[in-house]
Every structure is written in structure tokens, then in C-alpha cells.
């Protein structure tokens, strides 16, 4: 196989499948491409145009041609000495709808589900309406109105013997432990007899297995003509009695249905940025890591994948640990690959946006980033510094917008109090718990913590830092101190001591120095949540907001670009190239 010298991106979907790429391979080879660089190929939501909304990571997407098509593409690549780098999504899966079996199991069984710990959920809440429940902000209107208007009807999926609540494309399963309450309303004696068995499920040694058997029996009875209409009619929420019955049934579920508008303030599970249809995974857990990567590891071992690109690495709880674990697992697979797919080294790239003067940590054991910073460097080289003054004057003459740095700070303030308000609040609550664990800090109030936290995040100069059990790495210290200095300028002097406390909690006081127990657990949780807040707040503030408000020069408003900087000299560009050659020679 050729060494990696040039990649070509393939965006796969139902109208451009793996088989559609096969006849193009000879042309790509003539161009000098060494590796194709494919969008995610594991099973995504039906009709997905991008593949990042994975619903089943255990199969190659049948809409792309499935595993057979992948083998055909790789066979042609091998004929031309070429390889395949695969984009993969470790941070999240598609949720909502009805097509993610792991998510549907979680909704049906809550913490009894084998997938309960797969998703990044905060089960404990001070809000009594969310205690032990998962907020599902998928309704098009307020819950009460949707219930009253019959927009969330109880339905029966006959082939599976399954009761669900439906709302547009969404299906919210009813826990089988509650099927007895539904079947008690049936007029058919066979269904009433089955109701007693469902009601006794809680006493079974394996409720999930027992429930599946009973659901098969319910499906059989329905196919044999057992009438469920009376039972379903009793839960028609357009009637007074049905309204009460369906509401009480839903109150017993492990989730709480709510308007989509509640997500920004009350969300109690991690999403991809503020997208309700993409739920965060706890890939830091070994069982989740193995389950979500099993098919990838199989494809690597079989010689069908020759490199990985990790999407949204900053969403993970511990990117360093994840990358190092991935490197170890992949390296062990290389010796088992077929001879025609032998590799001395398997490249791993991370999608990472680097801030000004920020560099990828070398101890992650990756081969570099996907190249945003390289595009920024080339762009700076291409711009004539003589244009900065005239363009700046022109922009100031037609706009009353502030300088770009202030534009970003204002945008961060906006998103922290709007689309990411719930995420910000969860970090504040986590820090409050840390404060309560120590007599010396237990008088700190939630309001004060909120103020200091927001000021710190608003001035963060990078997407995130990488606090670990040993504290903040030396590479990150300058960025944290820069944020701290900015926060002091924004806050009154009375809040400065709290900023000093945040400096200690957020990496200045390594949690490994604390004795095992709740304080260490609380501090680690707060640090992780803080880091998972700064990255999406940066993306929403810079890419999604400030770039649309500042237009001195649009060619400098791109993902991963330092828009405050207009141009750079060739000598600077060469220094960056030398650094890349030294640290990450295979960086994309």
C-alpha cells in the first residue's frame, strides 16, 4: 500500500454509495491520491446525507451498500495500492425518532436498561419534575396542550407487541411493567389475564427477558383477533377520563415529555452542541467504548480500514485517555491483518480546532489534526497585509459592530444564557456541590458561582483545556490564565476570590490528591462538565454567531481561523511548517 501522501474526501449517502465510488478509483489514483477519506459508514438515520447521526454502530449502513459494498470498494483500492481512512463518531448518536434501539431500550426501561449508562445523563436533579427522569424536549407544543389535543396518543405496534406514545416521527415506548395498567382496560378476557402477568414482571429474576416473552404472547393474541381498541380508547386524552389515565401512565415512565423549547434551560443529558436529536455517549466507560467501536475494530482487523478520523474530539470527557486507548487497541490489531493490507503504522486523526498559539498535545498518540490550522496558516499567507487598514476602515464606516474579540465575548454571553443555558447551569450546580463538600467554601452561593463561571467561559481563548487527575497540563496553563484575567476585568472585585477558587477547582487542585469518596468524585465531575461546556460555547459563539456579525474580510471567517489576524509573513508560515514536521509530520 502507498504511504499516505494525499487524501480525497468522499461524502457518502443513499445517492452516492460505496459502490458509486468504485469506478472513480482509477481516476483518483491518476490524480495521485493515496487514500480515500470517507464520511461515516456505520448505520445512520434513514435518509441521512452526512452519516454523523448514527443509530446502530454495529453494522455498515445498508443505504451505502452494506459491508459487501465496502469490500468491493476496498478491493479496487488495493488494486491501485490505495487505502481508506474512515470518519467515525465517538461523541454521540442520533436519538429521538424510533430507529435507535439503544435509546429506545433506555426509554422503555430507564436505569434497568443495559444501555442506561451508555448515554451521558444526569439522573439526579433538584427539580422534582426531573428526579430520576429523562427530559425529552421533542414535543411541538407544551405538554399539557399536546396531551389535551390528542397529539401524543397511545398506540400499539402489533408485530412487536409493544405499546408506545407517538408524536410525529417520534415513538416513546411504555415500560412493559406498566402494560398491565393498559390491558386492565381491555374487554377481552385473554388480555385481562395477560395483564396480571405483566403486572408481576417487577418480581421476575430477569424482567427484560420475561417482558420480551410476554410481548411475543401479546403480539400473538393481537394477531389472533384479540381486540385492543377498548384499552387504547380508555387512554384517549381528548376525553376527560382518558386525559387523566394517559397523564398518570406517562408520569410513571422514566422520561418526561416536554416542549422543544424547554431544552435550552432544563436539559439533563449531554447533546452535540444544542441539537436535541444527537445524544452524547459516555465513551470513557470501557463497556461503551467496546460496544461502539466493535465493528470498527473488526473492519480494521480484516484490513478494510486503514486509518481513522475522530469527529468532535472535544466533546469527550477525556480526549487524551480515549486517543491513547484507541491507539493501543488498534496497534494490537495490526498483526492480524491480511498480508495485502499490512501496515507498519495506522494513522489516527482528530477533528480539533486549535486556538491562537495552541498546539495539539503530543501525548495523545495521534498523528495530528484534520487540518483546520493548516488552512488558517495558508489563508494568512495569501492575504496582503497592506489591505488590513483600508478594509478595517471600510468596515468601521458601514458598521457599528465592536472589535472581533468583543463580538465573540458578547456571543458567548448570549449562548450561555440561551441555547446552552441548561448546560451552563449543570456546571454551576456541579461546582456548588464541590463547594458544599468543604467547610471552607460551603458559604459560596449558586448565584456567585454562576457569575464567575460565565465570566470565565466568556473569556476562554481556546475551545477547551484538558484537565486530568494531575491537574491542568502545562500546555493549557496560559490559556486558563488568560481567561482568568479577562474574567477579573468583567467582574466586580468582590467576586475575585471566587475566581481564585475556580482556578483551584478547575485543575489547580488535582483531584487525585483528594481521598477516594464523594468530594473527589464531585470535583472530577465538575471539571469534566466545565470542559464539555467551553467547547460548544466557543463553536456557537464564534462559528455560528460572531462570523455572521463581523465582516471586515469574509475570507478570514472560516472554521478554525483566527479572524482577528489578517495576514502573516512567509517566515512565520515556514516556522509553523517546521513545527508540524517535527511534531506531527503526517498531520492532514
Amino acid at each position: 500500500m502507498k504511504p499516505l501522501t494525499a487524501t480525497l474526501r468522499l461524502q457518502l449517502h443513499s445517492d452516492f454509495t460505496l459502490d458509486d465510488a468504485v469506478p472513480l478509483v482509477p481516476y483518483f489514483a491518476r490524480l495521485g491520491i493515496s487514500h480515500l477519506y470517507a464520511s461515516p459508514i456505520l448505520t445512520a438515520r434513514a435518509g441521512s446525507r452526512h452519516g454523523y447521526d448514527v443509530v446502530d454502530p454495529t453494522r455498515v449502513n445498508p443505504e451505502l451498500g452494506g459491508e459487501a459494498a465496502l469490500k468491493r470498494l476496498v478491493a479496487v483500492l488495493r488494486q491501485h495500492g490505495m487505502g481508506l481512512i474512515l470518519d467515525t463518531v465517538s461523541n454521540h448518536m442520533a436519538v429521538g425518532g424510533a430507529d435507535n434501539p439503544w435509546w429506545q431500550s433506555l426509554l422503555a426501561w430507564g436505569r434497568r436498561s443495559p444501555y442506561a449508562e451508555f448515554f451521558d445523563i444526569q439522573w439526579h436533579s433538584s427539580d422534582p419534575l426531573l428526579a430520576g427522569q429523562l427530559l425529552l424536549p421533542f414535543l411541538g407544543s407544551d405538554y399539557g396542550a399536546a396531551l389535551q389535543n390528542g397529539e401524543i396518543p397511545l398506540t400499539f405496534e402489533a408485530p412487536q407487541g409493544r405499546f408506545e406514545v407517538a408524536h410525529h416521527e417520534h415513538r416513546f415506548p411504555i415500560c412493559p411493567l406498566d402494560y398491565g395498567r393498559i390491558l386492565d382496560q381491555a374487554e377481552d378476557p385473554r388480555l385481562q389475564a395477560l395483564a396480571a402477568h405483566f403486572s408481576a414482571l417487577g418480581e421476575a429474576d430477569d424482567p427484560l427477558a420475561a417482558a420480551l416473552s410476554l410481548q411475543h404472547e401479546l403480539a400473538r393474541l393481537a394477531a389472533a383477533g384479540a381486540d385492543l381498541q377498548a384499552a387504547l380508547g380508555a387512554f384517549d386524552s381528548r376525553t376527560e377520563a382518558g386525559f387523566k389515565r394517559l397523564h398518570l401512565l406517562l408520569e410513571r415512565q422514566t422520561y418526561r415529555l416536554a416542549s422543544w423549547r424547554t431544552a435550552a434551560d432544563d436539559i439533563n443529558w449531554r447533546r452535540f452542541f444544542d441539537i436535541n436529536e444527537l445524544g452524547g455517549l459516555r465513551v470513557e466507560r470501557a463497556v461503551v467504548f467496546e460496544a461502539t467501536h466493535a465493528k470498527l475494530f473488526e473492519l480494521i482487523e480484516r484490513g478494510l480500514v486503514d486509518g481513522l478520523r475522530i469527529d468532535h474530539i472535544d466533546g469527550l470527557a477525556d480526549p487524551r485517555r480515549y486517543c491513547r486507548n484507541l491507539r493501543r487497541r488498534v496497534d494490537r490489531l495490526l498483526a492480524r491483518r491480511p498480508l495485502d493490507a499490512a501496515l507498519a503504522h495506522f494513522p489516527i486523526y482528530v477533528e480539533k480546532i486549535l486556538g491562537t498559539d495552541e498546539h495539539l498535545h503530543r501525548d495523545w498518540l495521534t498523528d495530528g489534526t484534520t487540518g483546520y490550522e493548516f488552512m488558517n496558516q495558508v489563508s494568512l499567507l495569501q492575504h496582503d497585509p497592506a489591505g488590513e487598514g483600508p478594509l478595517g476602515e471600510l468596515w468601521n464606516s458601514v458598521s457599528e459592530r465592536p472589535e472581533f474579540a468583543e463580538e465573540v465575548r458578547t456571543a458567548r454571553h448570549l449562548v450561555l444564557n440561551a441555547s446552552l443555558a441548561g448546560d451552563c447551569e449543570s456546571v454551576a450546580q456541579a461546582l456548588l456541590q464541590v463547594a458544599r463538600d468543604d467547610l471552607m467554601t460551603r458559604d459560596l452561593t449558586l448565584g456567585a458561582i454562576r457569575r464567575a463561571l460565565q465570566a470565565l467561559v466568556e473569556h476562554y481563548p481556546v475551545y477547551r483545556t484538558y484537565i486530568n487527575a494531575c491537574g491542568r497540563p502545562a500546555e493549557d496553563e496560559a490559556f486558563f490564565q488568560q481567561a482568568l484575567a479577562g474574567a477579573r476585568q468583567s467582574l466586580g472585585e468582590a467576586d475575585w476570590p471566587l475566581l481564585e477558587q475556580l482556578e483551584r477547582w478547575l485543575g489547580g487542585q488535582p483531584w487525585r490528591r483528594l481521598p477516594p469518596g464523594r468530594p473527589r468524585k464531585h470535583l472530577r465531575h465538575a471539571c469534566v462538565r466545565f470542559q464539555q461546556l467551553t467547547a460548544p460555547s466557543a463553536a456557537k459563539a464564534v462559528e455560528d454567531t460572531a462570523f455572521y456579525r463581523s465582516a471586515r474580510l469574509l475570507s478570514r471567517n472560516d472554521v478554525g481561523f483566527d479572524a482577528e489576524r489578517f495576514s502573516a509573513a512567509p517566515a512565520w508560515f515556514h516556522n509553523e511548517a517546521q513545527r508540524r514536521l517535527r511534531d506531527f509530520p503526517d498531520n492532514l
Side-chain angles (χ1 to χ4, degrees), residues 1-8 25 27-37 76-78 80-85 306 343 347 349 588:
M1 191 184 306
K2 298 174 184 175
L4 196 155
T5 55
T7 67
L8 185 140
V25 170
Y27 169 62
F28 296 152
R30 291 196 301 274
L31 288 178
I33 302 301
S34 66
H35 288 67
L36 294 186
Y37 168 20
V76 176
L77 289 173
R78 294 290 181 259
H80 293 81
M82 296 167 66
L84 177 67
I85 295 175
D306 309 304
L343 288 175
Y349 299 102
L588 292 182

Side-chain angles (χ1 to χ4, degrees), residues 19 44 52 60 62 69 74 85 89 101 128 148 159 186 192 194 239 324 332 353 371 398 416 425 494 510 519:
D19 278 322
Y52 292 97
V60 176
V74 172
I85 295 175
V89 190
Q148 192 172 55
Q192 292 177 347
L194 192 59
T239 68
R324 291 171 69 90
R332 288 202 297 269
I353 293 174
V398 299
L416 290 174
E425 180 65 15

Side-chain angles (χ1 to χ4, degrees), residues 31 55 143 243 315 329 343 383 390 455 478 583:
L31 288 178
V55 294
Y143 168 75
F243 180 97
R329 290 286 277 110
L343 288 175
H383 286 86
D583 296 341

Side-chain angles (χ1 to χ4, degrees), residues 409-421:
R409 193 202 66 76
T410 301
R412 281 191 188 246
H413 181 81
L414 172 67
V415 299
L416 290 174
N417 288 278
S419 59
L420 297 179

Side-chain angles (χ1 to χ4, degrees), residues 352-360 369-384 555-556 558-563 565-581 583-584 587-588:
K352 165 67 185 164
I353 293 174
L354 296 167
T356 304
D357 298 324
E358 183 185 13
H359 304 283
L360 190 66
T369 73
T370 53
Y372 292 125
E373 75 286 348
F374 174 71
M375 292 193 295
N376 179 46
Q377 292 159 15
V378 172
S379 171
L380 287 168
L381 188 66
Q382 291 175 329
H383 286 86
D384 186 344
S555 56
R556 290 296 300 146
D558 205 348
V559 177
F561 282 24
D562 176 7
R565 194 171 183 183
F566 190 90
S567 64
W572 175 85
F573 179 85
H574 290 314
N575 285 337
E576 291 302 312
Q578 290 289 343
R579 178 192 291 274
R580 185 164 49 254
L581 179 63
D583 296 341
F584 294 102
N587 196 90
L588 292 182

Side-chain angles (χ1 to χ4, degrees), residues 100-119 121 123 175 177 206-208 254:
N100 185 333
W102 294 0
W103 180 256
Q104 295 301 101
S105 170
L106 166 68
L107 297 188
W109 289 100
R111 302 185 81 169
R112 295 175 187 251
S113 168
Y115 305 106
E117 300 303 320
F118 277 44
F119 297 93
I121 300 166
W123 290 104
C175 179
L177 296 174
D206 186 349
L208 276 73
T254 193

